[in-house]
Amino acid sequence: MIKKIKSEISKSIKNKRINVFLLFLLFSFIILIFSKLSKDYTNTISFRIDKVNVPQEQVILNDSATLDITLKTHGFKWLNYYFKKPKVTIDFSKDVTKKDSKYIYNKSKAYLNNTQFDKQVEILSISPDTLIFRYDVNMVKKVPVKLNGNIKFSAGYSTNNPILLEPDSITVIGPHVLVSKIEYLETKEIVLNDIRTNLNEKAPIQLPDNSSDLKFSNTSVNLKATVEKFTEGTLKIPVKVINIPEGVNLKYFPKEVNVSYYVSLNNFNTIKINDFNVVCDYAKITSNQSVLVPELVSYPSIVKNAKINQHQIEFIITK
């Protein structure tokens, strides 16, 4: 029992020695870090440009401008620059001069020191020493959106109305030189197969390559359509001959032709013979032509793929 107590006491003393050693090692490391960070260092770093008070009716074209600034400061300041992207603020109401269609910024090191940095930072050099900002007048334009899609319905399914885009147009704001060239925008390619239920899909818009200089009221649209079950119908439609010259007695056969079409099941019973109009235009006959050609000149808007199944009407002229 006494041996066990002695063993525990010995272990405790050894552990305390290790803890004290680690504690001194940690303190030494902290002192070393503080010693390093308190020294001055010189380095060059890229500062992004933060533009403020730009005239509302204008837009700056080169947003990617940066300033490479060589600084001398202590390590604590450098830590701040490395962890957070540094920036230089350019106030377009007082820091730039306007010449032709450009804004020019060429402030001195002393000006930057006094306005952008504290006393612990010394600016050694600035590159480039002048920034030139091209600008243009903002233009607002509403442009239509077109569907770039490959949409296939299941057999026997379709839509009565065209597929809708909501909204069907968007507003583009930006430099006149860019916006004026945009006549329409397309969605990114939408591929849908075997559709048999109503469509309600989000379609991203394919933005222009220079979209960083532009603002868009929407960057996507909703693709919508009501999908219904369709069936085939066939009706016998009377044939009318038009533009028969005065004094010509014309007999033709057949008097009716079959017209086939696709229509939704909901509208199948609403389709009537009088909804179709098939005519033959006598004025279109050539000298060596012995038949009339029937044309489907009107049919209900709710039917699809309407077509005449007979393409010739025989005729004779009697006295």
Side-chain angles (χ1 to χ4, degrees):
M1 182 67 177
I2 295 174
K3 288 183 179 181
K4 186 174 181 181
I5 294 173
K6 286 183 178 179
S7 175
E8 292 295 331
I9 293 172
S10 176
K11 287 180 181 179
S12 176
I13 292 171
K14 288 180 182 179
N15 286 339
K16 285 182 180 179
R17 287 177 179 174
I18 292 173
N19 290 339
V20 170
F21 172 76
L22 291 176
L23 187 61
F24 273 105
L25 183 63
L26 177 62
F27 280 137
S28 299
F29 179 74
I30 292 173
I31 292 170
L32 178 63
I33 292 295
F34 272 85
S35 175
K36 291 288 186 182
L37 292 178
S38 62
K39 293 181 180 180
D40 285 344
Y41 297 92
T42 299
N43 204 352
T44 301
I45 193 165
S46 289
F47 284 71
R48 64 182 178 87
I49 304 301
D50 183 23
K51 297 178 288 296
V52 298
N53 294 326
V54 178
Q56 197 169 24
E57 71 278 5
Q58 295 172 350
V59 61
I60 305 301
L61 298 180
N62 49 335
D63 282 335
S64 59
T66 59
L67 277 176
D68 291 331
I69 303 178
T70 302
L71 303 174
K72 182 180 180 181
T73 187
H74 56 73
F76 291 103
K77 273 290 181 183
W78 283 115
L79 278 179
N80 185 49
Y81 291 140
Y82 288 137
F83 285 118
K84 187 177 180 181
K85 182 70 175 176
K87 66 181 180 179
V88 169
T89 300
I90 296 180
D91 189 336
F92 276 67
S93 66
K94 61 181 181 179
D95 293 339
V96 297
T97 55
K98 189 176 180 181
K99 186 177 180 181
D100 299 329
S101 59
K102 302 179 181 71
Y103 285 107
I104 300 173
Y105 175 86
N106 54 1
K107 295 300 183 182
S108 65
K109 292 186 293 182
Y111 180 84
L112 277 177
N113 255 334
N114 291 331
T115 59
Q116 306 277 341
F117 299 93
D118 56 39
K119 295 179 180 180
Q120 298 173 326
V121 179
E122 180 185 356
I123 297 178
L124 301 179
S125 66
I126 304 171
S127 178
D129 57 2
T130 301
L131 290 177
I132 297 176
F133 298 95
R134 294 180 301 110
Y135 72 88
D136 197 358
V137 177
N138 263 334
M139 180 181 181
V140 179
K141 185 178 182 181
K142 197 170 186 179
V143 298
V145 179
K146 296 183 179 181
L147 174 63
N148 175 19
N150 183 10
I151 299 174
K152 296 179 180 178
F153 296 92
S154 295
Y157 289 83
S158 189
T159 61
N160 268 327
N161 300 306
I163 295 173
L164 295 177
L165 295 180
E166 295 183 355
D168 60 358
S169 59
I170 66 171
T171 301
V172 184
I173 305 173
H176 184 279
V177 67
L178 298 178
V179 177
S180 61
K181 295 178 181 178
I182 302 176
E183 298 301 326
Y184 64 90
L185 292 171
E186 285 188 344
T187 66
K188 293 183 179 179
E189 186 179 14
I190 304 297
V191 179
L192 300 172
N193 294 309
D194 298 325
I195 302 300
R196 59 174 60 210
T197 58
N198 292 342
L199 284 175
N200 190 2
E201 299 283 334
K202 189 174 183 179
I205 295 173
Q206 183 67 49
L207 301 180
D209 293 336
N210 51 10
S211 58
S212 60
D213 291 323
L214 302 171
K215 294 180 181 179
F216 303 88
S217 60
N218 297 79
T219 56
S220 65
V221 294
N222 290 322
L223 184 154
K224 293 186 176 182
T226 301
V227 180
E228 299 182 69
K229 180 72 175 176
F230 273 63
T231 188
E232 186 177 25
T234 303
L235 289 174
K236 284 187 174 295
I237 308 300
V239 177
K240 304 171 186 176
V241 181
I242 61 174
N243 294 324
I244 301 175
E246 189 176 347
V248 173
N249 189 13
L250 187 73
K251 291 186 178 181
Y252 59 92
F253 180 84
K255 301 288 185 182
E256 297 175 325
V257 291
N258 287 329
V259 174
S260 61
Y261 54 89
Y262 283 91
V263 65
S264 68
L265 287 177
N266 291 334
N267 293 322
F268 184 80
N269 292 327
T270 67
I271 304 301
K272 307 299 180 185
I273 292 176
N274 293 336
D275 296 332
F276 298 83
N277 189 15
V278 176
V279 302
C280 294
D281 191 346
Y282 187 89
K284 294 182 179 180
I285 297 177
T286 59
S287 58
N288 59 349
Q289 187 174 330
S290 59
V291 294
L292 297 167
V293 178
E295 299 176 56
L296 182 60
V297 295
S298 65
Y299 55 89
S301 59
I302 58 176
V303 306
K304 291 179 174 292
N305 302 329
K307 61 182 179 179
I308 300 172
N309 295 331
Q310 184 170 339
H311 302 296
Q312 292 184 347
I313 303 294
E314 296 180 0
F315 72 95
I316 57 173
I317 298 174
T318 60
K319 294 182 180 180

